[in-house]
mmCIF file of all heavy atoms in Angstrom:
data_model
loop_
_atom_site.group_PDB
_atom_site.id
_atom_site.type_symbol
_atom_site.label_atom_id
_atom_site.label_comp_id
_atom_site.label_asym_id
_atom_site.label_seq_id
_atom_site.Cartn_x
_atom_site.Cartn_y
_atom_site.Cartn_z
ATOM 1 N N ALA A 83 -2.754 1.808 3.409
ATOM 2 C CA ALA A 83 -2.206 3.141 3.932
ATOM 3 C C ALA A 83 -1.184 3.785 2.895
ATOM 4 O O ALA A 83 -1.385 5.054 2.680
ATOM 5 C CB ALA A 83 -1.475 2.947 5.251
ATOM 6 N N PRO A 84 -0.280 3.065 2.254
ATOM 7 C CA PRO A 84 0.575 3.732 1.299
ATOM 8 C C PRO A 84 -0.234 4.384 0.281
ATOM 9 O O PRO A 84 0.110 5.581 -0.227
ATOM 10 C CB PRO A 84 1.446 2.590 0.698
ATOM 11 C CG PRO A 84 1.509 1.679 1.846
ATOM 12 C CD PRO A 84 0.089 1.677 2.417
ATOM 13 N N PHE A 85 -1.317 3.811 -0.301
ATOM 14 C CA PHE A 85 -2.066 4.386 -1.356
ATOM 15 C C PHE A 85 -2.854 5.574 -0.801
ATOM 16 O O PHE A 85 -2.716 6.596 -1.511
ATOM 17 C CB PHE A 85 -3.146 3.249 -1.827
ATOM 18 C CG PHE A 85 -4.217 3.794 -2.733
ATOM 19 C CD1 PHE A 85 -3.968 3.916 -4.072
ATOM 20 C CD2 PHE A 85 -5.530 4.048 -2.227
ATOM 21 C CE1 PHE A 85 -4.910 4.333 -4.912
ATOM 22 C CE2 PHE A 85 -6.423 4.589 -3.181
ATOM 23 C CZ PHE A 85 -6.152 4.678 -4.418
ATOM 24 N N ILE A 86 -3.377 5.532 0.341
ATOM 25 C CA ILE A 86 -4.059 6.703 0.860
ATOM 26 C C ILE A 86 -3.118 7.869 1.200
ATOM 27 O O ILE A 86 -3.353 9.002 0.724
ATOM 28 C CB ILE A 86 -4.816 6.344 2.232
ATOM 29 C CG1 ILE A 86 -5.797 5.137 2.032
ATOM 30 C CG2 ILE A 86 -5.438 7.522 2.829
ATOM 31 C CD1 ILE A 86 -6.924 5.503 1.012
ATOM 32 N N LEU A 87 -2.008 7.538 1.666
ATOM 33 C CA LEU A 87 -0.969 8.531 2.027
ATOM 34 C C LEU A 87 -0.518 9.246 0.687
ATOM 35 O O LEU A 87 -0.416 10.541 0.605
ATOM 36 C CB LEU A 87 0.232 7.971 2.776
ATOM 37 C CG LEU A 87 -0.097 7.650 4.204
ATOM 38 C CD1 LEU A 87 1.087 6.850 4.813
ATOM 39 C CD2 LEU A 87 -0.490 8.766 5.145
ATOM 40 N N HIS A 88 -0.302 8.503 -0.397
ATOM 41 C CA HIS A 88 0.059 9.079 -1.631
ATOM 42 C C HIS A 88 -0.939 9.968 -2.185
ATOM 43 O O HIS A 88 -0.684 11.083 -2.645
ATOM 44 C CB HIS A 88 0.500 7.962 -2.495
ATOM 45 C CG HIS A 88 0.747 8.353 -3.937
ATOM 46 N ND1 HIS A 88 1.836 9.104 -4.304
ATOM 47 C CD2 HIS A 88 0.079 8.411 -5.122
ATOM 48 C CE1 HIS A 88 1.894 9.442 -5.575
ATOM 49 N NE2 HIS A 88 0.821 8.908 -6.056
ATOM 50 N N TRP A 89 -2.171 9.470 -2.260
ATOM 51 C CA TRP A 89 -3.208 10.338 -2.799
ATOM 52 C C TRP A 89 -3.595 11.589 -2.015
ATOM 53 O O TRP A 89 -4.201 12.483 -2.501
ATOM 54 C CB TRP A 89 -4.493 9.519 -2.966
ATOM 55 C CG TRP A 89 -4.380 8.690 -4.226
ATOM 56 C CD1 TRP A 89 -3.747 7.540 -4.488
ATOM 57 C CD2 TRP A 89 -4.888 9.124 -5.598
ATOM 58 N NE1 TRP A 89 -3.775 7.169 -5.779
ATOM 59 C CE2 TRP A 89 -4.583 8.140 -6.457
ATOM 60 C CE3 TRP A 89 -5.641 10.192 -5.984
ATOM 61 C CZ2 TRP A 89 -4.905 8.164 -7.832
ATOM 62 C CZ3 TRP A 89 -5.989 10.142 -7.217
ATOM 63 C CH2 TRP A 89 -5.598 9.203 -8.222
ATOM 64 N N LEU A 90 -3.143 11.568 -0.704
ATOM 65 C CA LEU A 90 -3.478 12.689 0.137
ATOM 66 C C LEU A 90 -2.312 13.800 0.122
ATOM 67 O O LEU A 90 -2.404 14.865 0.789
ATOM 68 C CB LEU A 90 -3.803 12.375 1.608
ATOM 69 C CG LEU A 90 -5.243 11.746 1.681
ATOM 70 C CD1 LEU A 90 -5.420 11.158 3.101
ATOM 71 C CD2 LEU A 90 -6.366 12.543 1.151
ATOM 72 N N GLU A 91 -1.197 13.394 -0.510
ATOM 73 C CA GLU A 91 -0.045 14.386 -0.562
ATOM 74 C C GLU A 91 -0.479 15.597 -1.282
ATOM 75 O O GLU A 91 -1.240 15.547 -2.253
ATOM 76 C CB GLU A 91 1.088 13.729 -1.252
ATOM 77 C CG GLU A 91 1.920 12.833 -0.406
ATOM 78 C CD GLU A 91 3.171 12.371 -1.085
ATOM 79 O OE1 GLU A 91 3.131 12.242 -2.362
ATOM 80 O OE2 GLU A 91 4.232 12.345 -0.319
ATOM 81 N N ASN A 92 0.111 16.765 -0.922
ATOM 82 C CA ASN A 92 -0.213 17.975 -1.481
ATOM 83 C C ASN A 92 -0.178 18.067 -3.083
ATOM 84 O O ASN A 92 -1.053 18.577 -3.737
ATOM 85 C CB ASN A 92 0.497 19.233 -0.907
ATOM 86 C CG ASN A 92 -0.045 19.613 0.443
ATOM 87 O OD1 ASN A 92 -1.216 19.340 0.731
ATOM 88 N ND2 ASN A 92 0.824 20.259 1.234
ATOM 89 N N PRO A 93 0.963 17.557 -3.577
ATOM 90 C CA PRO A 93 1.055 17.636 -5.125
ATOM 91 C C PRO A 93 -0.115 16.939 -5.835
ATOM 92 O O PRO A 93 -0.630 17.491 -6.847
ATOM 93 C CB PRO A 93 2.334 16.931 -5.405
ATOM 94 C CG PRO A 93 3.154 16.938 -4.125
ATOM 95 C CD PRO A 93 2.162 16.949 -3.051
ATOM 96 N N LEU A 94 -0.427 15.817 -5.366
ATOM 97 C CA LEU A 94 -1.577 15.069 -6.072
ATOM 98 C C LEU A 94 -2.866 15.742 -5.725
ATOM 99 O O LEU A 94 -3.771 15.951 -6.534
ATOM 100 C CB LEU A 94 -1.583 13.616 -5.717
ATOM 101 C CG LEU A 94 -2.203 12.677 -6.592
ATOM 102 C CD1 LEU A 94 -1.849 12.830 -8.027
ATOM 103 C CD2 LEU A 94 -1.952 11.218 -6.283
ATOM 104 N N TRP A 95 -3.106 16.102 -4.457
ATOM 105 C CA TRP A 95 -4.325 16.680 -3.957
ATOM 106 C C TRP A 95 -4.557 17.957 -4.675
ATOM 107 O O TRP A 95 -5.726 18.180 -5.102
ATOM 108 C CB TRP A 95 -4.273 16.816 -2.478
ATOM 109 C CG TRP A 95 -5.565 17.281 -1.808
ATOM 110 C CD1 TRP A 95 -5.890 18.410 -1.371
ATOM 111 C CD2 TRP A 95 -6.686 16.457 -1.656
ATOM 112 N NE1 TRP A 95 -7.225 18.529 -0.941
ATOM 113 C CE2 TRP A 95 -7.571 17.298 -1.012
ATOM 114 C CE3 TRP A 95 -6.973 15.100 -1.797
ATOM 115 C CZ2 TRP A 95 -8.871 16.909 -0.656
ATOM 116 C CZ3 TRP A 95 -8.244 14.645 -1.422
ATOM 117 C CH2 TRP A 95 -9.187 15.503 -0.867
ATOM 118 N N ASN A 96 -3.526 18.855 -4.809
ATOM 119 C CA ASN A 96 -3.731 20.066 -5.524
ATOM 120 C C ASN A 96 -4.007 19.918 -6.854
ATOM 121 O O ASN A 96 -4.715 20.860 -7.462
ATOM 122 C CB ASN A 96 -2.443 20.871 -5.251
ATOM 123 C CG ASN A 96 -2.325 21.368 -3.833
ATOM 124 O OD1 ASN A 96 -3.113 21.301 -2.990
ATOM 125 N ND2 ASN A 96 -0.977 21.653 -3.498
ATOM 126 N N ALA A 97 -3.598 18.806 -7.503
ATOM 127 C CA ALA A 97 -3.975 18.597 -8.965
ATOM 128 C C ALA A 97 -5.512 18.568 -9.156
ATOM 129 O O ALA A 97 -5.858 18.965 -10.157
ATOM 130 C CB ALA A 97 -3.256 17.385 -9.385
ATOM 131 N N TRP A 98 -6.161 17.906 -8.231
ATOM 132 C CA TRP A 98 -7.656 17.857 -8.334
ATOM 133 C C TRP A 98 -8.236 19.240 -8.361
ATOM 134 O O TRP A 98 -9.334 19.395 -9.069
ATOM 135 C CB TRP A 98 -8.206 17.082 -7.179
ATOM 136 C CG TRP A 98 -7.832 15.771 -7.228
ATOM 137 C CD1 TRP A 98 -7.034 14.975 -6.499
ATOM 138 C CD2 TRP A 98 -8.531 14.694 -8.084
ATOM 139 N NE1 TRP A 98 -6.992 13.693 -6.882
ATOM 140 C CE2 TRP A 98 -7.994 13.540 -7.801
ATOM 141 C CE3 TRP A 98 -9.573 14.874 -9.051
ATOM 142 C CZ2 TRP A 98 -8.338 12.285 -8.459
ATOM 143 C CZ3 TRP A 98 -9.927 13.700 -9.698
ATOM 144 C CH2 TRP A 98 -9.330 12.429 -9.455
ATOM 145 N N SER A 99 -7.622 20.239 -7.760
ATOM 146 C CA SER A 99 -8.296 21.591 -7.875
ATOM 147 C C SER A 99 -8.164 22.280 -9.214
ATOM 148 O O SER A 99 -8.854 23.237 -9.643
ATOM 149 C CB SER A 99 -7.546 22.525 -6.889
ATOM 150 O OG SER A 99 -6.231 22.830 -7.147
ATOM 151 N N GLN A 100 -7.252 21.714 -10.132
ATOM 152 C CA GLN A 100 -7.067 22.200 -11.499
ATOM 153 C C GLN A 100 -7.929 21.492 -12.403
ATOM 154 O O GLN A 100 -7.939 21.770 -13.572
ATOM 155 C CB GLN A 100 -5.615 22.086 -11.845
ATOM 156 C CG GLN A 100 -4.669 22.846 -10.932
ATOM 157 C CD GLN A 100 -4.891 24.263 -11.029
ATOM 158 O OE1 GLN A 100 -5.047 24.838 -12.092
ATOM 159 N NE2 GLN A 100 -4.811 25.039 -9.926
ATOM 160 N N LEU A 101 -8.585 20.337 -11.929
ATOM 161 C CA LEU A 101 -9.314 19.620 -12.914
ATOM 162 C C LEU A 101 -10.542 20.425 -13.610
ATOM 163 O O LEU A 101 -10.718 20.289 -14.833
ATOM 164 C CB LEU A 101 -9.960 18.325 -12.150
ATOM 165 C CG LEU A 101 -10.795 17.343 -13.163
ATOM 166 C CD1 LEU A 101 -9.757 16.859 -14.163
ATOM 167 C CD2 LEU A 101 -11.280 16.241 -12.289
ATOM 168 N N PRO A 102 -11.229 21.195 -12.843
ATOM 169 C CA PRO A 102 -12.454 22.002 -13.500
ATOM 170 C C PRO A 102 -11.882 22.985 -14.629
ATOM 171 O O PRO A 102 -12.448 22.812 -15.764
ATOM 172 C CB PRO A 102 -13.077 22.785 -12.396
ATOM 173 C CG PRO A 102 -12.748 21.942 -11.098
ATOM 174 C CD PRO A 102 -11.386 21.393 -11.435
ATOM 175 N N SER A 103 -10.853 23.551 -14.365
ATOM 176 C CA SER A 103 -10.303 24.420 -15.455
ATOM 177 C C SER A 103 -9.771 23.725 -16.530
ATOM 178 O O SER A 103 -9.769 24.152 -17.670
ATOM 179 C CB SER A 103 -9.260 25.496 -14.832
ATOM 180 O OG SER A 103 -8.187 24.781 -14.317
ATOM 181 N N TYR A 104 -9.188 22.527 -16.417
ATOM 182 C CA TYR A 104 -8.547 21.802 -17.388
ATOM 183 C C TYR A 104 -9.778 21.141 -18.281
ATOM 184 O O TYR A 104 -9.668 21.259 -19.445
ATOM 185 C CB TYR A 104 -7.922 20.508 -16.730
ATOM 186 C CG TYR A 104 -7.413 19.474 -17.745
ATOM 187 C CD1 TYR A 104 -6.293 19.768 -18.629
ATOM 188 C CD2 TYR A 104 -8.030 18.253 -17.881
ATOM 189 C CE1 TYR A 104 -5.849 18.868 -19.527
ATOM 190 C CE2 TYR A 104 -7.611 17.375 -18.757
ATOM 191 C CZ TYR A 104 -6.570 17.555 -19.620
ATOM 192 O OH TYR A 104 -6.043 16.615 -20.498
ATOM 193 N N VAL A 105 -10.824 20.818 -17.600
ATOM 194 C CA VAL A 105 -11.982 20.293 -18.469
ATOM 195 C C VAL A 105 -12.669 21.362 -19.199
ATOM 196 O O VAL A 105 -13.094 21.167 -20.350
ATOM 197 C CB VAL A 105 -13.078 19.622 -17.537
ATOM 198 C CG1 VAL A 105 -14.254 19.231 -18.235
ATOM 199 C CG2 VAL A 105 -12.446 18.340 -16.911
ATOM 200 N N GLU A 106 -12.828 22.617 -18.599
ATOM 201 C CA GLU A 106 -13.444 23.682 -19.288
ATOM 202 C C GLU A 106 -12.569 24.392 -20.215
ATOM 203 O O GLU A 106 -13.084 25.153 -21.131
ATOM 204 C CB GLU A 106 -13.898 24.703 -18.177
ATOM 205 C CG GLU A 106 -14.983 24.138 -17.208
ATOM 206 C CD GLU A 106 -15.193 25.015 -16.047
ATOM 207 O OE1 GLU A 106 -14.502 26.092 -15.880
ATOM 208 O OE2 GLU A 106 -16.124 24.761 -15.297
ATOM 209 N N SER A 107 -11.301 24.249 -20.273
ATOM 210 C CA SER A 107 -10.349 25.089 -21.047
ATOM 211 C C SER A 107 -10.471 24.612 -22.498
ATOM 212 O O SER A 107 -10.475 23.431 -22.935
ATOM 213 C CB SER A 107 -8.911 24.774 -20.593
ATOM 214 O OG SER A 107 -8.108 25.451 -21.337
ATOM 215 N N GLU A 108 -10.473 25.547 -23.378
ATOM 216 C CA GLU A 108 -10.364 25.335 -24.775
ATOM 217 C C GLU A 108 -9.071 25.687 -25.368
ATOM 218 O O GLU A 108 -8.545 25.047 -26.312
ATOM 219 C CB GLU A 108 -11.376 26.268 -25.524
ATOM 220 C CG GLU A 108 -12.925 25.864 -25.154
ATOM 221 C CD GLU A 108 -13.882 26.706 -25.946
ATOM 222 O OE1 GLU A 108 -13.551 27.412 -27.004
ATOM 223 O OE2 GLU A 108 -15.067 26.781 -25.554
ATOM 224 N N SER A 109 -8.393 26.600 -24.690
ATOM 225 C CA SER A 109 -7.021 26.970 -25.234
ATOM 226 C C SER A 109 -5.899 26.273 -24.507
ATOM 227 O O SER A 109 -4.810 26.223 -25.141
ATOM 228 C CB SER A 109 -6.889 28.501 -25.149
ATOM 229 O OG SER A 109 -6.895 28.951 -23.702
ATOM 230 N N ASP A 110 -6.130 25.949 -23.294
ATOM 231 C CA ASP A 110 -4.927 25.341 -22.525
ATOM 232 C C ASP A 110 -5.260 23.882 -22.081
ATOM 233 O O ASP A 110 -4.683 23.547 -21.078
ATOM 234 C CB ASP A 110 -4.716 26.232 -21.321
ATOM 235 C CG ASP A 110 -3.250 26.159 -20.784
ATOM 236 O OD1 ASP A 110 -2.505 25.698 -21.533
ATOM 237 O OD2 ASP A 110 -3.051 26.689 -19.665
ATOM 238 N N GLY A 111 -5.982 23.235 -22.891
ATOM 239 C CA GLY A 111 -6.315 21.852 -22.494
ATOM 240 C C GLY A 111 -5.100 20.903 -22.682
ATOM 241 O O GLY A 111 -5.385 19.661 -22.295
ATOM 242 N N SER A 112 -4.097 21.228 -23.158
ATOM 243 C CA SER A 112 -2.903 20.291 -23.305
ATOM 244 C C SER A 112 -2.032 20.177 -22.054
ATOM 245 O O SER A 112 -1.220 19.349 -22.032
ATOM 246 C CB SER A 112 -2.065 20.780 -24.505
ATOM 247 O OG SER A 112 -1.431 21.949 -24.261
ATOM 248 N N ILE A 113 -2.326 21.042 -21.034
ATOM 249 C CA ILE A 113 -1.473 20.917 -19.841
ATOM 250 C C ILE A 113 -2.350 20.278 -18.756
ATOM 251 O O ILE A 113 -3.351 20.714 -18.356
ATOM 252 C CB ILE A 113 -1.087 22.414 -19.337
ATOM 253 C CG1 ILE A 113 -0.337 23.119 -20.441
ATOM 254 C CG2 ILE A 113 -0.377 22.282 -18.074
ATOM 255 C CD1 ILE A 113 -0.022 24.623 -20.119
ATOM 256 N N PRO A 114 -1.949 18.998 -18.464
ATOM 257 C CA PRO A 114 -2.668 18.285 -17.468
ATOM 258 C C PRO A 114 -2.778 19.043 -16.130
ATOM 259 O O PRO A 114 -1.965 19.763 -15.729
ATOM 260 C CB PRO A 114 -1.934 16.914 -17.343
ATOM 261 C CG PRO A 114 -1.029 16.942 -18.572
ATOM 262 C CD PRO A 114 -0.832 18.326 -18.977
ATOM 263 N N PRO A 115 -3.820 18.552 -15.318
ATOM 264 C CA PRO A 115 -4.078 19.230 -14.021
ATOM 265 C C PRO A 115 -2.810 19.226 -13.096
ATOM 266 O O PRO A 115 -2.433 20.063 -12.431
ATOM 267 C CB PRO A 115 -5.179 18.415 -13.433
ATOM 268 C CG PRO A 115 -6.023 18.001 -14.656
ATOM 269 C CD PRO A 115 -4.990 17.709 -15.620
ATOM 270 N N PHE A 116 -2.103 17.913 -13.042
ATOM 271 C CA PHE A 116 -0.933 17.802 -12.264
ATOM 272 C C PHE A 116 0.176 18.853 -12.597
ATOM 273 O O PHE A 116 0.745 19.535 -11.723
ATOM 274 C CB PHE A 116 -0.371 16.439 -12.279
ATOM 275 C CG PHE A 116 0.718 16.196 -11.229
ATOM 276 C CD1 PHE A 116 0.504 15.556 -10.016
ATOM 277 C CD2 PHE A 116 2.058 16.608 -11.506
ATOM 278 C CE1 PHE A 116 1.483 15.369 -9.112
ATOM 279 C CE2 PHE A 116 3.093 16.346 -10.575
ATOM 280 C CZ PHE A 116 2.708 15.800 -9.295
ATOM 281 N N ASP A 117 0.340 19.032 -13.977
ATOM 282 C CA ASP A 117 1.357 20.035 -14.390
ATOM 283 C C ASP A 117 1.000 21.382 -13.962
ATOM 284 O O ASP A 117 1.844 22.146 -13.620
ATOM 285 C CB ASP A 117 1.486 19.868 -15.856
ATOM 286 C CG ASP A 117 1.939 18.480 -16.324
ATOM 287 O OD1 ASP A 117 1.673 17.418 -15.630
ATOM 288 O OD2 ASP A 117 2.494 18.329 -17.501
ATOM 289 N N ARG A 118 -0.323 21.755 -14.078
ATOM 290 C CA ARG A 118 -0.774 23.094 -13.765
ATOM 291 C C ARG A 118 -0.514 23.346 -12.208
ATOM 292 O O ARG A 118 -0.102 24.433 -11.982
ATOM 293 C CB ARG A 118 -2.202 23.231 -14.147
ATOM 294 C CG ARG A 118 -2.520 23.070 -15.492
ATOM 295 C CD ARG A 118 -4.086 23.160 -15.636
ATOM 296 N NE ARG A 118 -4.440 23.051 -17.056
ATOM 297 C CZ ARG A 118 -5.434 23.713 -17.713
ATOM 298 N NH1 ARG A 118 -6.195 24.556 -16.993
ATOM 299 N NH2 ARG A 118 -5.616 23.535 -18.853
ATOM 300 N N ALA A 119 -0.889 22.337 -11.452
ATOM 301 C CA ALA A 119 -0.745 22.647 -9.998
ATOM 302 C C ALA A 119 0.675 22.617 -9.419
ATOM 303 O O ALA A 119 1.045 23.379 -8.514
ATOM 304 C CB ALA A 119 -1.549 21.476 -9.247
ATOM 305 N N ASN A 120 1.639 21.897 -10.173
ATOM 306 C CA ASN A 120 2.917 21.757 -9.624
ATOM 307 C C ASN A 120 4.024 22.330 -10.544
ATOM 308 O O ASN A 120 5.191 22.320 -10.171
ATOM 309 C CB ASN A 120 3.243 20.260 -9.389
ATOM 310 C CG ASN A 120 2.343 19.702 -8.343
ATOM 311 O OD1 ASN A 120 2.326 20.109 -7.205
ATOM 312 N ND2 ASN A 120 1.355 18.926 -8.827
ATOM 313 N N GLY A 121 3.680 22.847 -11.709
ATOM 314 C CA GLY A 121 4.630 23.447 -12.554
ATOM 315 C C GLY A 121 5.564 22.523 -13.263
ATOM 316 O O GLY A 121 6.509 22.938 -13.876
ATOM 317 N N MET A 122 5.284 21.242 -13.244
ATOM 318 C CA MET A 122 5.980 20.180 -14.076
ATOM 319 C C MET A 122 5.237 18.995 -14.138
ATOM 320 O O MET A 122 4.123 18.825 -13.424
ATOM 321 C CB MET A 122 7.343 19.914 -13.248
ATOM 322 C CG MET A 122 7.164 19.304 -11.910
ATOM 323 S SD MET A 122 8.832 19.066 -11.035
ATOM 324 C CE MET A 122 9.168 20.618 -10.599
ATOM 325 N N SER A 123 5.572 18.000 -14.914
ATOM 326 C CA SER A 123 4.861 16.726 -15.057
ATOM 327 C C SER A 123 4.922 15.891 -13.849
ATOM 328 O O SER A 123 5.964 16.144 -13.065
ATOM 329 C CB SER A 123 5.414 15.951 -16.315
ATOM 330 O OG SER A 123 6.674 15.435 -16.011
ATOM 331 N N ALA A 124 4.067 14.928 -13.744
ATOM 332 C CA ALA A 124 4.117 13.989 -12.521
ATOM 333 C C ALA A 124 5.498 13.218 -12.702
ATOM 334 O O ALA A 124 6.112 13.035 -11.557
ATOM 335 C CB ALA A 124 2.935 13.104 -12.636
ATOM 336 N N SER A 125 5.933 12.852 -13.754
ATOM 337 C CA SER A 125 7.170 12.052 -13.822
ATOM 338 C C SER A 125 8.282 12.882 -13.375
ATOM 339 O O SER A 125 9.162 12.362 -12.568
ATOM 340 C CB SER A 125 7.361 11.662 -15.312
ATOM 341 O OG SER A 125 6.253 10.764 -15.784
ATOM 342 N N ASP A 126 8.366 14.180 -13.891
ATOM 343 C CA ASP A 126 9.517 14.967 -13.421
ATOM 344 C C ASP A 126 9.429 15.231 -11.904
ATOM 345 O O ASP A 126 10.476 15.216 -11.196
ATOM 346 C CB ASP A 126 9.478 16.347 -14.145
ATOM 347 C CG ASP A 126 9.955 16.125 -15.632
ATOM 348 O OD1 ASP A 126 10.508 15.122 -15.948
ATOM 349 O OD2 ASP A 126 9.596 17.015 -16.409
ATOM 350 N N PHE A 127 8.181 15.474 -11.355
ATOM 351 C CA PHE A 127 8.099 15.759 -9.980
ATOM 352 C C PHE A 127 8.517 14.682 -9.112
ATOM 353 O O PHE A 127 9.322 14.903 -8.224
ATOM 354 C CB PHE A 127 6.576 16.054 -9.648
ATOM 355 C CG PHE A 127 6.307 16.389 -8.195
ATOM 356 C CD1 PHE A 127 6.593 17.631 -7.753
ATOM 357 C CD2 PHE A 127 6.067 15.410 -7.338
ATOM 358 C CE1 PHE A 127 6.383 17.996 -6.400
ATOM 359 C CE2 PHE A 127 5.936 15.629 -6.014
ATOM 360 C CZ PHE A 127 6.101 16.972 -5.521
ATOM 361 N N TYR A 128 8.133 13.397 -9.498
ATOM 362 C CA TYR A 128 8.520 12.313 -8.686
ATOM 363 C C TYR A 128 9.998 11.940 -8.800
ATOM 364 O O TYR A 128 10.633 11.423 -7.891
ATOM 365 C CB TYR A 128 7.556 11.120 -8.892
ATOM 366 C CG TYR A 128 6.225 11.430 -8.349
ATOM 367 C CD1 TYR A 128 5.114 11.407 -9.200
ATOM 368 C CD2 TYR A 128 5.921 11.654 -7.073
ATOM 369 C CE1 TYR A 128 3.840 11.702 -8.817
ATOM 370 C CE2 TYR A 128 4.723 11.970 -6.542
ATOM 371 C CZ TYR A 128 3.599 11.952 -7.356
ATOM 372 O OH TYR A 128 2.412 12.310 -6.931
ATOM 373 N N LEU A 129 10.560 12.240 -9.888
ATOM 374 C CA LEU A 129 12.027 12.134 -10.081
ATOM 375 C C LEU A 129 12.811 13.001 -9.149
ATOM 376 O O LEU A 129 13.846 12.733 -8.551
ATOM 377 C CB LEU A 129 12.419 12.328 -11.556
ATOM 378 C CG LEU A 129 12.256 11.149 -12.381
ATOM 379 C CD1 LEU A 129 12.448 11.531 -13.931
ATOM 380 C CD2 LEU A 129 13.024 9.906 -12.120
ATOM 381 N N GLN A 130 12.204 14.245 -9.023
ATOM 382 C CA GLN A 130 12.982 15.323 -8.273
ATOM 383 C C GLN A 130 12.497 15.234 -6.711
ATOM 384 O O GLN A 130 13.094 15.936 -6.029
ATOM 385 C CB GLN A 130 12.683 16.698 -8.774
ATOM 386 C CG GLN A 130 13.118 16.881 -10.178
ATOM 387 C CD GLN A 130 12.787 18.301 -10.710
ATOM 388 O OE1 GLN A 130 12.558 19.216 -9.891
ATOM 389 N NE2 GLN A 130 12.663 18.358 -12.093
ATOM 390 N N ASN A 131 11.458 14.552 -6.456
ATOM 391 C CA ASN A 131 11.020 14.452 -5.086
ATOM 392 C C ASN A 131 10.713 12.985 -4.603
ATOM 393 O O ASN A 131 9.632 12.611 -4.396
ATOM 394 C CB ASN A 131 9.677 15.228 -4.968
ATOM 395 C CG ASN A 131 9.774 16.783 -5.330
ATOM 396 O OD1 ASN A 131 10.246 17.508 -4.427
ATOM 397 N ND2 ASN A 131 9.578 17.104 -6.525
#
Side-chain angles (χ1 to χ4, degrees):
F85 172 79
I86 301 297
L87 291 170
H88 174 69
W89 277 83
L90 292 177
E91 283 189 319
N92 283 337
L94 200 50
W95 187 255
N96 292 340
W98 287 103
S99 69
Q100 299 297 316
L101 187 60
S103 62
Y104 174 74
V105 171
E106 295 169 355
S107 178
E108 292 181 21
S109 61
D110 206 12
S112 64
I113 301 173
F116 189 96
D117 300 26
R118 292 173 184 223
N120 298 290
M122 64 182 75
S123 71
S125 298
D126 289 341
F127 180 85
Y128 291 118
L129 283 172
Q130 294 178 28
N131 297 277

